[in-house]
Amino acid sequence: MIRSKRPWRHTFQVALEGIWYTLRTQRNMQVHLGVMFAVTGLGLALGLERTEWFWIGLCITLVIMAELFNTAIETVVDLVMLNPHPLAKIAKDTAAGAVLVAAVFAVIVGVILLGIPVWKLLVN
């Protein structure tokens, strides 16, 4: 096995480059980031408890991770498949489905943790 002589910080640098690439090029990642800031602001305004922040953080992490994996899979498929292929479509659609599953979970958690307190504020 060949060992890399790259410095440890290089690991973080390439990871951040991947995140930055996805943020710059993927509209959905930009939407996810905007929602993340909105939810964080709302959570701060509502004074969420520690366990509620855990669930919010988990949801944000899952959605961002799913979007990063989706971008990676779509990029590799586009690289190796010069012509459309049914299996390439399945790979890309399945990766997009993973993002949808994570996002739906995040919305459900968000409605439970944020929707109810916001509704109570609006009603009173």
Side-chain angles (χ1 to χ4, degrees), residues 8 10 25 37 41 45 67 77 80 99 108 112-113 118:
W8 179 250
H10 181 74
T25 63
F37 284 121
E67 191 65 50
V77 169
V80 299
V99 178
I108 292 168
I112 292 168
L113 296 181
V118 167

Side-chain angles (χ1 to χ4, degrees), residues 54-64 102-103 105-110:
F54 168 80
W55 286 104
I56 296 292
L58 178 63
C59 289
I60 290 169
T61 301
L62 289 174
V63 171
I64 299 299
F105 176 68
V107 167
I108 292 168
V109 170

Side-chain angles (χ1 to χ4, degrees), residues 89-109:
K89 180 181 182 335
I90 291 169
K92 291 172 83 169
D93 291 353
T94 304
V99 178
L100 180 62
V101 168
V104 167
F105 176 68
V107 167
I108 292 168
V109 170

Side-chain angles (χ1 to χ4, degrees), residues 40-100:
T40 301
L42 187 57
L44 288 170
L46 293 172
L48 294 182
E49 300 291 327
R50 179 181 289 174
T51 55
E52 294 168 325
W53 278 117
F54 168 80
W55 286 104
I56 296 292
L58 178 63
C59 289
I60 290 169
T61 301
L62 289 174
V63 171
I64 299 299
M65 284 176 56
E67 191 65 50
L68 289 166
F69 284 133
N70 182 48
T71 300
I73 290 167
E74 287 185 350
T75 303
V76 170
V77 169
D78 290 344
L79 173 68
V80 299
M81 298 303 304
L82 300 176
N83 298 313
H85 190 280
L87 293 177
K89 180 181 182 335
I90 291 169
K92 291 172 83 169
D93 291 353
T94 304
V99 178
L100 180 62

Side-chain angles (χ1 to χ4, degrees), residues 2-42:
I2 299 173
R3 293 195 155 226
S4 175
K5 299 290 183 184
R6 297 180 189 155
W8 179 250
R9 71 180 182 280
H10 181 74
T11 303
F12 295 103
Q13 181 181 351
V14 297
L16 291 172
E17 287 174 9
I19 294 168
W20 179 241
Y21 170 83
T22 304
L23 183 58
R24 279 189 345 263
T25 63
Q26 303 301 309
R27 182 184 66 224
N28 287 345
M29 181 64 125
Q30 296 163 4
V31 170
H32 297 316
L33 193 67
V35 170
M36 177 190 78
F37 284 121
V39 165
T40 301
L42 187 57

